[in-house]
């Protein structure tokens, strides 16, 4: 099929099909991604807001776990003296930006992540006494989203070792889920344990491979073979 014919092929396929299964190798997927990229450029260059904001689309295998990456690169936060234990923040007007803003594909009718839901991430600490303590994935400070007190991994925190964490999402972790703009979640704030205004400098926390997951089975299942999101094939 010649490239100029693709618009008509796309229209015919989308009009006639009851279900579209796309993957990274599909020419139709490449066309949709190209159009989305052009819309993103137009939106970024539109000073008056006349261009519509692009919308991220995700697809998965039927019956497989669904994972949306929030942040996959390695990020280091140096501990700073403060009484609240603020470690760092991703968000608007910040140097750090989340990889994905639109997670609505995982949200059910009640404004909650479709079960079984969890947050996955890997954490590296230089000091076991000052590990990651609070994970606040909210649109506004302390509201509209998810907030966790981060438990230690099995066997406790170990310094200078990457440790995977799976945080099951319970009802108590939500704040106004039906009012939460799940299609524009651009803020994440992290806190460390045992803060002090006279905190010594030199300690740090690293994170990577942060995912929001909707699983076909509970991550606590002892009989299930649980594969991290970062190891799942798209």
């Amino acid at each position: 099929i010649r490239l100029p014919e693709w618009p008509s092929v796309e229209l015919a396929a989308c009009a006639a099909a009851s279900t579209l299964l796309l993957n990274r190798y599909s020419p139709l997927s490449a066309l949709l991604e190209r159009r989305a990229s052009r819309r993103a450029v137009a939106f970024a260059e539109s000073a008056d807001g006349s261009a519509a904001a692009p919308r991220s689309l995700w697809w998965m295998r039927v019956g497989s776990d669904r994972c949306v990456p929030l942040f996959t690169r390695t990020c280091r936060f140096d501990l700073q003296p403060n009484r609240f234990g603020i470690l760092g923040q991703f968000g608007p007007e910040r140097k750090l930006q989340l990889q994905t803003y639109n997670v609505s594909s995982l949200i059910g009718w009640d404004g909650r992540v479709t079960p079984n839901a969890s947050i996955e991430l890997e954490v590296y600490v230089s000091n076991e006494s000052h590990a990651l303590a609070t994970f606040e994935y909210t649109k506004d400070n302390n509201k509209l989203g998810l907030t966790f007190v981060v438990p230690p991994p099995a066997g406790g925190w170990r310094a200078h070792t990457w440790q995977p964490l799976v945080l099951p999402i319970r009802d108590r972790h939500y704040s106004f889920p039906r009012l939460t703009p799940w299609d524009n979640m651009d803020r994440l704030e992290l806190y460390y344990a045992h803060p002090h205004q006279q905190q010594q400098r030199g300690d740090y926390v690293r994170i990577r491979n942060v995912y929001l997951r909707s699983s076909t089975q509970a991550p606590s299942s002892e009989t299930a073979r649980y594969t991290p999101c970062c190891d799942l094939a798209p």
Side-chain angles (χ1 to χ4, degrees):
I1 299 175
R2 295 188 300 271
L3 184 60
E5 297 177 347
W6 265 115
S8 59
V9 172
E10 176 199 19
L11 179 61
C14 293
S18 59
T19 303
L20 289 177
L21 300 179
L22 307 178
N23 60 36
R24 69 169 74 180
Y25 308 108
S26 163
L28 182 57
S29 297
L31 179 63
L32 294 176
E33 181 179 6
R34 185 164 60 250
R35 288 191 174 184
S37 299
R38 290 173 180 171
R39 288 186 62 192
V41 172
F43 179 72
E45 295 177 349
S46 175
D48 59 357
S50 58
R55 182 180 181 187
S56 299
L57 301 178
W58 297 90
W59 57 87
M60 307 88 176
R61 289 188 176 93
V62 174
S64 68
D65 288 8
R66 297 182 292 167
C67 298
V68 172
L70 302 183
F71 190 81
T72 55
R73 294 180 295 143
T74 299
C75 185
R76 167 173 166 157
F77 298 95
D78 293 316
L79 270 64
Q80 302 293 333
N82 68 87
R83 62 190 181 95
F84 299 108
I86 298 173
L87 187 60
Q89 187 180 101
F90 299 76
E93 302 180 0
R94 302 280 177 173
K95 291 183 179 180
L96 293 172
Q97 301 292 319
L98 293 178
Q99 181 175 333
T100 305
Y101 293 172
N102 185 0
V103 298
S104 59
S105 61
L106 301 186
I107 305 303
W109 63 270
D110 58 353
R112 292 171 169 81
V113 185
T114 52
N116 297 290
S118 61
I119 292 285
E120 287 185 12
L121 71 159
E122 295 178 66
V123 182
Y124 182 109
V125 301
S126 65
N127 186 331
E128 299 95 331
S129 298
H130 298 297
L132 181 64
T134 303
F135 184 99
E136 183 181 304
Y137 179 51
T138 57
K139 182 63 177 178
D140 297 330
N141 188 34
N142 297 324
K143 64 180 180 180
L144 299 177
L146 296 163
T147 302
F148 298 85
V149 174
V150 179
W157 290 106
R158 300 191 304 274
H160 303 293
T161 302
W162 280 107
Q163 295 180 266
L165 296 177
V166 177
L167 310 176
I169 300 175
R170 312 298 187 198
D171 283 347
R172 66 178 182 274
H173 297 135
Y174 287 96
S175 170
F176 305 105
R178 292 193 180 187
L179 300 178
T180 300
W182 296 109
D183 60 346
N184 188 27
M185 292 294 287
D186 54 6
R187 182 182 178 277
L188 171 63
E189 191 164 13
L190 305 173
Y191 296 79
Y192 68 89
H194 307 122
H196 195 276
Q197 290 180 320
Q198 304 299 322
Q199 173 70 42
Q200 291 185 336
R201 299 179 184 270
D203 288 326
Y204 59 89
V205 175
R206 291 174 178 164
I207 67 167
R208 69 182 182 189
N209 293 331
V210 184
Y211 286 86
L212 181 63
R213 180 175 190 148
S214 176
S215 177
T216 57
Q217 55 193 359
S220 59
S221 174
E222 297 180 358
T223 60
R225 183 178 179 181
Y226 193 76
T227 303
C229 280
C230 59
D231 293 336
L232 286 176

